[in-house]
Amino acid sequence: MKKIFISTLLICCFASIAMAQMPDLVLKDIHGKKVAVNTLGKKGKPVIIDFFATWCKPCLRELNAIADVYEDWQKETGCQLVAVSIDRAQNVNKVAPLVSENDWPFEMVLLDPNSDLQRSLSILNPPYVLILDGNGKIVFRHNGYKDGDEKAILAALRKLKKKTK
């Protein structure tokens, strides 16, 4: 009985985390524009949010892999991509040149130098990917990156697209 109770509790906790909304926080993008993160993913299109750091090699591999297929994903699923740098304040000036150098075609790149968003979503380490449905709910989480992990992101986008039809 105790095992069943613990299992049920864990399932409920993970389900509530998976269907959570974005927190009521405001971050700046790399151009200095303020963005309320709780407005992301509320325009009827899925949004991929990719947390990264300039010093994180797996993050850069993941962002490059997604950039390579992003146009196809947009055509197929209508998704948008937002990258969130978790670099500390002393390294924030490295983010915009990195984005430009890699020619990443993302909708926006946000800065989280105080880890406010990262902490509020209980994200420990980058790279970390969230997918929001068209109503702003978190429906997918993935931590870490190894070559080919972008296939799991695409599968989640396709599953979400089927649900919305």
Side-chain angles (χ1 to χ4, degrees), residues 123-138:
I123 296 171
L124 298 177
N125 298 309
Y128 199 98
V129 171
L130 300 175
I131 295 179
L132 308 179
D133 66 6
N135 299 310
K137 290 182 181 166
I138 300 169

Side-chain angles (χ1 to χ4, degrees), residues 52-53 55-64 126-127 144-146:
F52 76 101
W55 47 263
C56 171
K57 299 297 183 204
C59 298
L60 303 180
R61 285 195 344 262
E62 178 176 69
L63 288 169
N64 284 321
Y145 179 76
K146 59 184 182 297

